[in-house]
Structures are given as C-alpha cells and as structure tokens.
Amino acid sequence: MSALIQRHGAALQGAFSAATVAVCGLGGLGSNIAILLARAGIGKLILIDFDRVDITNLHRQQYKASQIGVYKTDALTDNLREIAPYIELEAHTERITEDNAVMLLKDADIVCEAFDDAKAKAMLTDIVLSEMPDKYLVTASGMAGMGTANSIKTRRITSRFYLSGDEISEVSDDIGLVAPRVALCAAHQAHTVLRIIAKQFEV
Amino acid sequence: MVRANGEELDIAGKTITEYLAMTDYDVRVIAVERNEEIVPKARYAETVLCDGDVVEIVTFMGGG
C-alpha cells in the first residue's frame, strides 16, 4: 500500500482502494483490464466469465500455456494474486444474462463490459443503464484488425456511459484480434475507470 | 426535426421502434441515447421522438 501511495498519492490511492469494479468477460479486454486495475490498487474486482482458457486465447489474453483448460475466473484469480496479493477478488464462473446481471453486479461501483459478442455487449449496456442507474458503465466497440493504434479512443455517451474503441472494426473471418490493439482498448477502459474514481469524468 | 447521429431527419412523432424500422440498424447490437439519456430497449415502442430531440445510436462491434 505504501508503495502505491508513493506512486499515486494518498488521496487518489484511498479512492482506488475503496472502489469495487466488475469486469464482465475475461478475454482479451477483460484479462488486461483486470490486471491493469489490480496493479493500480483497486480494492475489489468482481470477475465474471463462463469460459475456459483455450490455446487460441494465448495470443492476446493474459493467461499462460500451463492454464489451458482452466476456467478463466480461476486462472485470472491465480495470476492476479501473484501480481497484487492484497486485492479482494470475487469470481463468478457463469454466463451473465438479463436474469442474473443485477445480482452479480450489485456490489460494483463501475462495470466494465469486456465481452466479445456484440449482442451480449448491447444486452449488458441495456440492463446496466436501465436497471442500475447508480453505476457507471465502461464499454468497448471496435478493436479488431491492424488499423492504426491512434484510432482507438474513448467517448462519453451519457453521464454514466463510456465507450472505448474505433467503433468500426468488427471481428470477421478476415479480420482477427491483435494483441496490442486489444490491449490499447483495454487500457482505455481501465484508465477511464480510474478517472471516474478520481472524479475526472470528462474524456 | 430530429437530429439522429448528426443528421437532421423528419421523424418527429415517430416512435424509436418506427424510426429503427426505416433503417438498417440491427436492434440486437445497438444502444439508443436520446437527449443524453439511454432509452431502455423495453421502451423503444412507446418512446415518441419530439421536435428538437438529439438521438445517437451506438452500434456494438464484435470482438474483445
């Protein structure tokens, strides 16, 4: 903690360590967001994903070859514990749906949408913004392919709804996901979370 | 007139459902913001657009 106060200052670090952030989806976006927030000294992370680590994840997601086949919630919990032993972690190995989202996210101050499926992104956005009006939502849209890094940006759509990405680059058979560009988008989201906690709401 | 994604459109009086039906948007992958508030999907059919409204439709792209 004193090391973090040295880096961030006591006031900022106090706010970071008092915050609870939910990360919905632990793939290329979510695994990077969680590690960035853990390093920054966020007090508690709620990690939600139904899937296991697959060999095709390793090119962009923060897992190790030795973790193939392990639930992402378990693998990321282990990795985060090595990086930030004092963080509080709550993991849910299940799919987020319209029926369980309110319950799963109830303790979060800020929700990060880090899914890969566009319909799931829209579903979570709808439910968080319509049924959880006290929370902030940080979403992502458009980070596939080899486009310039400089087109990844963050917009504030409403007072509690942020969107990171280039908003156009969709995954397809021809356009995959490349580690640095996905990580850039994840870093945008993680930094937006920190700025919200620091009450710097403009982008 | 209603300003939708930067374009002035003659759609005042239509509901959001009626407006979306005139477009190519896939309702399953969008969020609709109207005058800086999100319109829940469940209210698209009852939300009538008014003269002077500013609407933005955010489209989610797959990938993450």
Side-chain angles (χ1 to χ4, degrees):
Chain A
M1 187 66 171
S2 67
L4 285 166
I5 289 171
Q6 216 171 47
R7 290 296 178 206
H8 299 144
L12 205 48
Q13 197 54 53
F16 289 172
S17 56
T20 297
V21 181
V23 184
C24 302
L26 304 177
L29 294 171
S31 62
N32 277 298
I33 292 168
I35 285 177
L36 291 166
L37 294 178
R39 285 195 195 280
I42 293 296
K44 178 177 173 182
L45 293 179
I46 300 170
L47 308 172
I48 311 167
D49 197 300
F50 62 87
D51 211 358
R52 295 172 189 266
V53 178
D54 184 82
I55 192 168
T56 59
N57 301 149
L58 297 182
H59 75 106
R60 72 181 194 283
Q61 304 184 16
Q62 296 295 340
Y63 302 104
K64 309 172 201 174
S66 61
Q67 293 176 317
I68 289 169
V70 178
Y71 281 118
K72 290 182 179 180
T73 43
D74 294 334
L76 193 58
T77 294
D78 287 348
N79 297 348
L80 290 168
R81 289 249 173 268
E82 287 187 46
I83 292 167
Y86 303 110
I87 193 167
E88 188 181 341
L89 299 173
E90 176 185 317
H92 298 276
T93 307
E94 57 187 301
R95 193 185 286 272
I96 302 175
T97 67
E98 286 166 335
D99 298 324
N100 65 14
V102 173
M103 188 268 295
L104 287 172
L105 301 173
K106 66 179 190 307
D107 292 333
D109 305 307
I110 302 172
V111 177
C112 288
E113 176 281 306
F115 295 143
D116 56 3
D117 179 73
K119 295 187 195 79
K121 288 170 179 285
M123 180 277 293
L124 187 70
T125 299
D126 188 56
I127 200 154
V128 171
L129 294 174
S130 56
E131 294 193 26
M132 296 171 246
D134 58 321
K135 298 191 195 303
Y136 292 88
L137 177 69
V138 183
T139 65
S141 175
M143 77 300 297
M146 286 293 290
T148 170
N150 293 337
S151 61
I152 304 285
K153 61 189 185 305
T154 297
R155 289 200 299 136
R156 189 182 189 192
I157 309 286
T158 71
S159 62
R160 289 178 178 266
F161 174 27
Y162 295 80
L163 179 69
S164 299
D166 69 10
E167 300 185 42
I168 50 174
S169 300
E170 182 144 42
V171 168
S172 69
D173 291 343
D174 305 321
I175 306 176
L177 291 157
V178 187
R181 207 154 185 272
V182 177
L184 273 166
C185 191
H188 264 261
Q189 290 182 273
H191 195 62
T192 298
V193 167
L194 297 185
R195 281 179 57 84
I196 291 167
I197 296 168
K199 302 196 183 305
Q200 296 177 30
F201 297 110
E202 295 307 322
V203 294
Chain B
M1 297 296 273
V2 172
R3 192 167 182 82
N5 285 29
E7 204 177 338
E8 295 288 338
L9 299 177
D10 189 13
I11 53 173
K14 291 188 187 300
T15 66
I16 289 177
T17 300
E18 287 167 342
Y19 165 56
L20 291 174
M22 300 162 52
T23 70
D24 293 331
Y25 286 110
D26 178 349
V27 72
R28 297 168 301 173
V29 298
I30 61 171
V32 177
E33 174 254 320
R34 172 180 173 243
N35 302 335
E36 298 181 12
E37 298 286 340
I38 287 294
V39 182
K41 274 193 203 301
R43 298 213 198 108
Y44 287 0
E46 67 194 49
T47 302
V48 178
L49 296 166
C50 302
D51 202 35
D53 276 358
V54 178
V55 172
E56 180 176 357
I57 296 168
V58 172
T59 304
F60 286 102
M61 299 291 156

